[in-house]
Amino acid sequence: TVHDIVNFARSQSILCQGRGSAANSVVCFALGITEIDPDRSTLLFERFLSRERNEPPDIDVDFEHDRREEVLQYVFQRYGRHRAALTAVVSTYHGAGAVRDVAKALGLPPDQVNALADCCGHWSDTPPAVERLREAGFDPDSPVLRRVLSLTGQLIGFPRHLSQHPGGFVISEQPLDTLVPVENAAMAERTIIQWDKDDLDAVGLLKVDVLALGMLSAIRRCFDLIHGYRDQRLSLASIPAEDLATYEMIGRADTIGVFQIESRAQMSMLPRLKPKNFYDLVIEVAIVRPGPIQGGMVHPYLRRRDKKEKVTYPSAELKEVLQRTLGVPLFQEQVMQIAIVAVDYTPGEADQLRRSMAAWKRHGGLEPHRLRLRDGMRANGYSDEFAAQIFEQIKGFGSYGFPESHAASFALLTYASCWLKCHEPAAFACALINSWPMGFYSPDQILQDARRHQLAIRPVDVRASTWDCSLEPLAGAQPALRLGLRMIKGFREDDARRIEAARGHGPFVDIADLGQRARLDSRAQELLADAGALRGLAGHRHRARWEVAGVQQQLGLFAGLPRQEEAPVVLPRPTVGEDLQADYLSVGTTLGPHPLALLRGELKARRCRSSRELLEVEHGRPVSVAGLVTGRQRPGTASGVTFVTLEDEFGNVNVVVWRDLAERQRKVLVGAQLLKVDGTLETEGEVRHLIAGRLSDLSDLLSGITVRSRDFR
């Protein structure tokens, strides 16, 4: 079945990649479901097939995000909607949703309902904290609010509604409605069963995961762009392996936009781990995860890799299990193998342990394993400390267990995206923007990164832009990236396609000619003017808006009357600040000066250093930095760190905000667009963090940017 689906996708040039233990088996490699050679990794057979399991293995396949619907419809057509359906997922209440529904039911006004929900963290599973309630102006001791909080606590974790699984297909030999309740989905041409995906194993129904992955869309678009301007057709299989320049780029943490290792936590790890080959990438993908972090495995592995700590093994028997990770268990399969070797689990029992890892937060069931691990290891001569460490890692895998085979599948896409960023940066950046939304970074951040790499970026222009961003040849260099009309907020693709078609019959003479030939209404013309896309026909934004208004007047009450020749109106050019603000409002980015370049004098007066000046600061020194907040990332770790990414005209600064400071200055942390951080610089090799001690909101400075073009140097 999976082979059939993958063959269809490839026949339609839809990029896909299998992942997981079964997908990385020899059979799936031979069938072309995955590109990972199983000889390059150590598979645990019982991870996906065992006598106790007594069922076929799940095989997950990722497809291009924006073409997965073609694959879904193929499955419905191939097997029939009477025998194929998507499975459901029971969505449960989190803190914000629970407090919102309880407050509504108790009759609180909408503004209070919203304010209460805002007091919860985005994925919090607890009622709002008393301190946050007081901060928002609520009285936690009022009878109504106490009732709201009490009922909220009872509702969290309770089923809220049945939703559609993103891609889990149930395929049956018999008509599905003879086995399970079936209904039409909200989306056209889709059918779903009314059972949760976790109930399928119990009744033995076959599930095939047809999943979506944005990076596959970006990679396929990148391949198409390269073929368009270089006439070279690349594929995942033909990208040169083990490229030195690619690994050097990865070691510098120059990984904005790539797959899996683009987060601030991963970028902080890269200069320490310095991957030098594919298996190092497999480890990198898996190591910054709750399992290894919570189990205390990360630092021992790094010390051993740097030869600062001797590589040791708990026993000779476990050396074979742990040798590839220097004696430190990092992968889910290794935990299973430890249970087999050190605790005398059968392979099938080890698979049951794996299933318990994944389900313990929802259903419990790990306690018997904890006792058996401790007693079994003690009986076989292992320390209680080692048993406790392994159990902590098992609990971490409950949050996000990463099997080695899964990490290997992802590492293949990680390497491919890194190679493209290293050797085809213009095509890669262009493809990322055309595939957005995806990943950690906005188009603005990707473009700012591209400019720091000396790529030529050209603005949206009706004379040259298509709907998507595109590439324009440059002699002896990477091609220039031309921003597409898709970048204009609110602009319709149909209007863009008509502009492309009209341009094929000759260049536009003026704005009136553009509007007439492309059949653009007043809204579309105003959006183009605001975005600066009419500069080539009008000169600048102010002139473009004036001319658009004139064209609309001619098409309105005064249509049909002779056009009156008037003396040209002299309009002042927009200031740099006006252009900058209009760019961000209309296009979400600017190709002019970075906002902080205009504020550098003001920031220096406040003793704020730039990201470039931080390179001269020694470890442990106090420093103040200001930057635009481009990311607030809270990893799922017990340490309670919030990573904040600040951007200025020279680059990014990674800020570590500890939990107590985040709680004390939550409003500033969450609300500031321009953030000043007073803290201490920490360096470890090439890794540089600013440990925050105080946060200040400088967002009001952004509204004061009024510098004129001639004043900017």
Side-chain angles (χ1 to χ4, degrees), residues 330-584:
L330 297 177
F331 298 111
Q332 195 183 74
E333 290 95 333
Q334 288 176 302
V335 174
M336 294 172 63
Q337 288 175 297
I338 288 171
I340 294 169
V341 173
V343 194
D344 301 323
Y345 273 58
T346 67
E349 289 173 333
D351 183 62
Q352 291 301 316
L353 171 62
R354 174 189 66 80
R355 289 167 172 252
S356 297
M357 290 184 211
W360 79 272
K361 278 203 169 183
R362 286 168 295 157
H363 307 299
L366 265 187
E367 188 61 21
H369 289 291
R370 184 183 72 82
L371 296 174
R372 185 173 175 186
L373 285 169
R374 185 198 65 191
D375 295 342
M377 287 189 182
R378 186 182 290 169
N380 288 326
Y382 297 95
S383 69
D384 287 352
E385 180 185 4
F386 180 66
Q389 193 177 38
I390 293 298
F391 188 72
E392 285 303 308
Q393 188 176 18
I394 287 172
K395 290 199 297 184
F397 277 122
S399 300
Y400 205 118
F402 230 63
E404 181 178 353
S405 51
H406 193 129
S409 296
F410 273 9
L412 180 67
L413 299 182
T414 298
Y415 178 79
S417 61
C418 288
W419 188 91
L420 291 168
K421 180 179 173 70
C422 181
H423 295 281
E424 300 287 353
F428 185 65
C430 188
L432 283 180
I433 296 170
N434 290 338
S435 303
W436 197 80
M438 58 166 285
F440 280 84
Y441 298 98
S442 67
D444 175 55
Q445 291 169 277
I446 292 166
L447 288 169
Q448 297 297 348
D449 179 64
R451 293 175 75 186
R452 288 192 290 270
H453 286 77
Q454 285 74 54
L455 293 178
I457 314 294
R458 293 174 177 170
V460 183
D461 190 329
V462 292
R463 300 173 303 168
S465 294
T466 57
W467 169 248
D468 281 330
C469 297
S470 56
L471 299 179
E472 297 178 357
L474 278 178
Q478 281 283 312
L481 195 164
R482 170 70 70 179
L483 298 186
L485 295 164
R486 66 159 49 240
M487 299 289 291
I488 303 174
K489 296 177 183 177
F491 200 71
R492 292 185 288 258
E493 184 175 356
D494 288 348
D495 290 333
R497 299 302 182 192
R498 287 198 302 275
I499 291 173
E500 292 177 41
R503 198 169 58 220
H505 298 288
F508 301 118
V509 176
D510 54 24
I511 292 175
D513 182 44
L514 165 70
Q516 184 177 15
R517 286 167 53 191
R519 305 191 307 281
L520 300 180
D521 59 21
S522 59
R523 174 184 176 275
Q525 293 183 49
E526 289 167 0
L527 288 172
L528 290 170
D530 289 340
L534 302 179
R535 282 194 189 98
L537 300 178
H540 54 76
R541 274 190 173 91
H542 290 173
R543 169 63 65 181
R545 283 307 299 261
W546 179 271
E547 292 192 17
V548 165
V551 169
Q552 292 168 11
Q553 187 182 59
Q554 294 168 40
L555 298 175
L557 293 174
F558 303 99
L561 296 178
R563 183 171 179 177
Q564 301 295 318
E565 293 296 331
E566 299 179 0
V569 177
V570 178
L571 296 173
R573 296 186 66 84
T575 67
V576 171
E578 287 170 341
D579 263 340
L580 185 150
Q581 291 181 353
D583 283 345
Y584 277 109

Side-chain angles (χ1 to χ4, degrees), residues 17-24 34 36-37 40-43 47 60 62 213 259-261 266 277-289 292 324-325 330-334 397 400-416:
Q17 166 73 359
R19 61 175 156 107
S21 297
N24 285 355
T34 181
I36 293 290
D37 185 343
R40 297 175 71 179
S41 59
T42 305
L43 278 177
R47 170 68 177 77
D60 300 346
D62 292 311
L213 197 60
F259 186 60
Q260 283 292 304
I261 57 172
Q266 287 278 7
N277 54 50
F278 182 77
Y279 193 72
D280 286 350
L281 270 188
V282 176
I283 290 174
E284 176 66 46
V285 166
I287 199 169
V288 186
R289 302 285 171 179
R324 62 189 184 276
T325 54
L330 297 177
F331 298 111
Q332 195 183 74
E333 290 95 333
Q334 288 176 302
F397 277 122
Y400 205 118
F402 230 63
E404 181 178 353
S405 51
H406 193 129
S409 296
F410 273 9
L412 180 67
L413 299 182
T414 298
Y415 178 79

Side-chain angles (χ1 to χ4, degrees), residues 269 272-288 292-293 295-313 322-331 334 389 393:
M269 181 66 70
R272 301 165 67 186
L273 189 63
K274 287 191 179 298
K276 294 180 175 60
N277 54 50
F278 182 77
Y279 193 72
D280 286 350
L281 270 188
V282 176
I283 290 174
E284 176 66 46
V285 166
I287 199 169
V288 186
I293 292 173
M297 310 298 182
V298 176
H299 292 296
Y301 176 81
L302 291 174
R303 287 195 297 270
R304 293 180 180 199
R305 186 179 175 86
D306 292 340
K307 296 183 171 50
K308 295 177 181 177
E309 178 181 304
K310 185 179 179 182
V311 176
T312 59
Y313 301 97
L322 300 174
Q323 191 167 15
R324 62 189 184 276
T325 54
L326 307 182
V328 180
L330 297 177
F331 298 111
Q334 288 176 302
Q389 193 177 38
Q393 188 176 18

Side-chain angles (χ1 to χ4, degrees), residues 71-139:
V71 181
L72 295 182
Q73 290 306 319
Y74 169 76
V75 175
F76 281 126
Q77 292 164 14
R78 173 76 173 80
Y79 297 97
R81 288 180 62 182
H82 63 294
R83 290 196 297 140
L86 289 161
T87 184
V89 176
V90 175
S91 295
T92 57
Y93 275 103
H94 295 286
V99 76
R100 188 182 293 278
D101 280 8
V102 168
K104 281 182 186 176
L106 295 182
L108 272 68
D111 59 334
Q112 290 190 24
V113 171
N114 293 332
L116 275 173
D118 288 343
C119 291
C120 289
H122 188 59
W123 293 108
S124 171
D125 283 329
T126 59
V130 170
E131 298 79 12
R132 291 196 180 181
L133 290 170
R134 288 202 175 98
E135 201 176 82
F138 291 100
D139 178 10

Side-chain angles (χ1 to χ4, degrees), residues 41-305:
S41 59
T42 305
L43 278 177
L44 181 63
F45 189 79
E46 291 77 16
R47 170 68 177 77
F48 60 93
L49 199 62
S50 68
R51 181 178 289 106
E52 288 84 353
R53 185 169 175 171
N54 193 30
E55 65 186 25
D58 284 342
I59 300 177
D60 300 346
V61 184
D62 292 311
F63 298 86
E64 293 180 41
H65 181 269
D66 50 2
R67 298 192 65 189
R68 186 183 61 134
E69 186 63 27
E70 297 175 45
V71 181
L72 295 182
Q73 290 306 319
Y74 169 76
V75 175
F76 281 126
Q77 292 164 14
R78 173 76 173 80
Y79 297 97
R81 288 180 62 182
H82 63 294
R83 290 196 297 140
L86 289 161
T87 184
V89 176
V90 175
S91 295
T92 57
Y93 275 103
H94 295 286
V99 76
R100 188 182 293 278
D101 280 8
V102 168
K104 281 182 186 176
L106 295 182
L108 272 68
D111 59 334
Q112 290 190 24
V113 171
N114 293 332
L116 275 173
D118 288 343
C119 291
C120 289
H122 188 59
W123 293 108
S124 171
D125 283 329
T126 59
V130 170
E131 298 79 12
R132 291 196 180 181
L133 290 170
R134 288 202 175 98
E135 201 176 82
F138 291 100
D139 178 10
D141 297 321
S142 71
V144 173
L145 200 55
R146 288 173 64 182
R147 190 177 182 196
V148 168
L149 297 179
S150 173
L151 291 172
T152 296
Q154 296 176 47
L155 202 56
I156 289 173
F158 199 80
R160 186 182 188 275
H161 64 273
L162 204 64
S163 61
Q164 183 178 302
H165 189 275
F169 255 109
V170 176
I171 300 175
S172 171
E173 184 178 356
Q174 303 299 322
L176 274 174
D177 60 7
T178 65
L179 303 171
V180 292
V182 181
E183 65 181 33
N184 289 325
M187 293 180 66
E189 304 302 323
R190 287 191 181 194
T191 307
I192 62 172
I193 68 171
Q194 295 179 354
W195 287 0
D196 183 86
K197 64 180 179 62
D198 290 335
D199 297 329
L200 301 179
D201 291 345
V203 295
L205 284 175
L206 172 68
K207 178 169 72 74
V208 176
D209 283 323
V210 180
L211 304 174
L213 197 60
M215 183 51 69
L216 285 173
S217 296
I219 290 175
R220 195 262 307 160
R221 283 189 168 102
C222 192
F223 289 161
D224 290 345
L225 287 165
I226 294 167
H227 182 254
Y229 79 85
R230 208 184 289 284
D231 197 25
Q232 177 186 6
R233 177 59 72 181
L234 286 173
S235 68
L236 288 175
S238 65
I239 286 177
E242 306 297 62
D243 178 67
L244 179 61
T246 299
Y247 284 112
E248 287 176 348
M249 182 194 80
I250 293 170
R252 297 192 304 270
D254 184 7
T255 56
I256 285 179
V258 305
F259 186 60
Q260 283 292 304
I261 57 172
E262 81 277 31
S263 72
R264 294 309 308 174
Q266 287 278 7
M267 290 169 74
S268 298
M269 181 66 70
L270 288 170
R272 301 165 67 186
L273 189 63
K274 287 191 179 298
K276 294 180 175 60
N277 54 50
F278 182 77
Y279 193 72
D280 286 350
L281 270 188
V282 176
I283 290 174
E284 176 66 46
V285 166
I287 199 169
V288 186
R289 302 285 171 179
I293 292 173
Q294 188 170 314
M297 310 298 182
V298 176
H299 292 296
Y301 176 81
L302 291 174
R303 287 195 297 270
R304 293 180 180 199
R305 186 179 175 86

Side-chain angles (χ1 to χ4, degrees), residues 10-33:
R10 292 194 168 138
S11 73
Q12 302 300 308
S13 299
I14 299 172
L15 203 59
C16 59
Q17 166 73 359
R19 61 175 156 107
S21 297
N24 285 355
S25 65
V26 173
V27 171
C28 288
F29 178 68
L31 290 174
I33 293 172

